[in-house]
Amino acid sequence: MNKRVCILLYVAAILAASPFAQPAAARDSITTPEIVAASSNFGCMEWRISGACFWLDCGITACSVEVSIKVSHRSPSLVVSAYDTAGESPWVETRALYAAAQLTAHKTQYAAQGVNMNREMPGGKFVNNTNPNREDTHFKSADVIGGPGNIATIASGFGLPLFCPMTDIAPLAPYFLSGIDAIAWTTGTTELIYAASWVPGLREIGDRSLTNPLGNTWGPLFPRFGFLRNPDDVKSGAVIAQRAADIVYKSGQPHIYIRVGNLPGRPDGGMRVWEPGELRENDPDNSVWQMLVPLTEDECEAFGVDDRLKANAWSDGKFDKADYTFNLWRPYSCCEDEGIFITSIDF
């Protein structure tokens, strides 16, 4: 039995033993192995054969055209956390790696602002003594960390052409830590250069827009900082996670961060890979989210679902300690390298 067949059987065995056969239970933290296990499901992946690639393979005396199958699927590229207490990310290993640096940077920059608030650093429900009507405003810290991957990522590293390696993602890399970006994340002043920070309905998480002012919204994407006015804490966490992830997929943003693709990602494993582009909200073809904390779910969806007329709200049963961690799934396509690339077609 060759190596690729062994790997495929191993992947199948792991997927057959998926943790989602068990009922979900609330949790306040998650470990890296648990994230890998939660990421290993075909429900979010949506694997498919999507086309073919054509290659020129030349020997000493002649050249031939080779064809390889093009596959497409989503992969869990980033793990994004939005949580109340600075330095207390629900992801155990990254909390140990980055909390001290965040707290030091946050305290230094926060003190330099000379802002007098009710707590040393903002976090949780924001109490405004002069305007009780604004007590539905929340502040959350946010981390955007390179995902540890899943069983498919492991298989692609061994050159199994059924799965695409995430060549743009460095595992466990800190693409965005709100404590390092403390001034911008707590004040939002750097975001005032964008029209969407001023115009309601321009970039909403939901279907509300300039042409649909009565549509559903969980909150505005801009300004991309830690405060959000929404009485639903779970949806607040989701919107703030979307804000943080939006930053790292763009160049030249007024924040302290590392752009996705600027660090060496996973090896290509002998594959030609088409990586996802910028993040777009409300578009499941571009990105979907999987909750990991407080509930580890086996479904993925774009944020912003309209639940106003439903018996059960999207956030029902998902509130525990007001700390949230999500997998961000992005679409990848790839072909096995068979020589000099000519072109590809999509079915």
Side-chain angles (χ1 to χ4, degrees), residues 64-141:
S64 62
V65 174
E66 303 292 333
V67 181
S68 60
I69 293 173
K70 185 176 186 179
V71 300
S72 298
H73 59 81
R74 298 191 190 115
S75 289
S77 58
L78 299 173
V79 177
V80 186
S81 297
Y83 49 96
D84 274 6
T85 305
E88 294 294 325
S89 168
W91 186 356
V92 174
E93 288 83 1
T94 59
R95 181 170 67 225
L97 285 172
Y98 304 125
Q102 287 208 75
L103 290 171
T104 299
H106 202 156
K107 288 179 179 179
T108 301
Q109 296 180 48
Y110 206 56
Q113 295 178 59
V115 177
N116 182 19
M117 299 183 72
N118 294 335
R119 58 184 75 203
E120 185 180 14
M121 290 177 286
K125 192 172 184 178
F126 182 62
V127 178
N128 189 321
N129 293 326
T130 62
N131 187 355
N133 292 327
R134 293 192 63 84
E135 289 189 5
D136 56 357
T137 298
H138 299 265
F139 179 91
K140 293 186 184 295
S141 298

Side-chain angles (χ1 to χ4, degrees), residues 44 74 283-284 286-290 300-302 327-330:
C44 293
R74 298 191 190 115
D283 183 359
N286 174 271
S287 55
V288 292
W289 297 86
Q290 175 194 15
C300 293
E301 59 188 339
N327 253 339
L328 175 62
W329 291 74
R330 302 298 317 277

Side-chain angles (χ1 to χ4, degrees), residues 26 138 140 216-218 228 230-239 291 293-297 299 301-324 326:
H138 299 265
K140 293 186 184 295
N216 166 66
T217 183
W218 290 10
L228 179 70
N230 188 328
D232 189 319
D233 191 83
V234 186
K235 290 180 180 178
S236 294
V239 172
M291 178 174 276
V293 175
L295 293 181
T296 302
E297 298 185 324
E299 296 179 351
E301 59 188 339
F303 291 149
V305 62
D306 189 351
D307 58 2
R308 291 175 295 177
L309 300 179
K310 295 182 179 180
N312 297 316
W314 178 85
S315 54
D316 283 354
K318 298 177 180 178
F319 179 83
D320 186 34
K321 290 180 60 180
D323 297 338
Y324 310 98
F326 303 94

Side-chain angles (χ1 to χ4, degrees), residues 6-22 35-47 73-74 76 149-155 160 162-163 290 298 329:
C6 290
I7 295 170
L8 183 57
L9 291 175
Y10 174 70
V11 170
I14 293 294
L15 291 172
S18 169
F20 301 114
Q22 305 299 322
I35 293 175
V36 173
S39 303
S40 300
N41 71 88
F42 279 116
C44 293
M45 188 178 294
E46 293 194 350
W47 183 94
H73 59 81
R74 298 191 190 115
N150 57 11
I151 300 303
T153 305
I154 297 171
L160 188 67
L162 291 176
F163 303 106
Q290 175 194 15
D298 59 354
W329 291 74

